[in-house]
Amino acid sequence: MTGTSHKVALLEADASVEVSGDGAGLVKVEVMPTTETGGCVVLHLADEKLREEVSFDLHVFYRSGLQEHLRFFAVSPTAPSNTKPDSGMAEFEE
């Protein structure tokens, strides 16, 4: 939902992140300090009114070579949402 923030747990302490997709411009990424358990990333979504949902992907790259590609979509309270069937699915690669 636009105007909100969401935490995403990291699997490992050392990670770099990128955001891509149509809704990437709405997202500010904040990497929280890492801990022994891996830390997290906070996605801050701009408080904008959207005419329809927009998708964005969070790409997480770990020093070990593991990668995550997480799909999201943003919607505002007045926008219809089709809830795309592949939204939110994760892909893992080693």
Side-chain angles (χ1 to χ4, degrees):
M1 185 73 62
T2 57
T4 63
S5 297
H6 302 279
K7 287 184 181 178
V8 177
L10 295 173
L11 299 174
E12 299 174 8
D14 287 329
S16 61
V17 297
E18 295 176 3
V19 177
S20 66
D22 295 339
L26 296 171
V27 183
K28 177 185 171 203
V29 178
E30 179 182 10
V31 179
M32 299 301 288
T34 57
T35 65
E36 292 176 9
T37 58
C40 70
V41 172
V42 182
L43 304 175
H44 302 282
L45 298 173
D47 192 9
E48 293 187 21
K49 291 184 181 180
L50 304 174
R51 291 185 19 221
E52 60 187 23
E53 68 182 60
V54 293
S55 299
F56 63 93
D57 295 329
L58 176 67
H59 307 279
V60 184
F61 304 95
Y62 298 100
R63 184 175 285 179
S64 69
L66 181 68
Q67 298 179 22
E68 292 183 276
H69 301 284
L70 307 171
R71 296 183 179 120
F72 296 91
F73 67 92
V75 67
S76 57
T78 57
S81 172
N82 296 326
T83 313
K84 298 174 184 170
D86 62 347
S87 293
M89 293 180 61
E91 297 174 13
F92 299 93
E93 296 177 18
E94 288 193 54

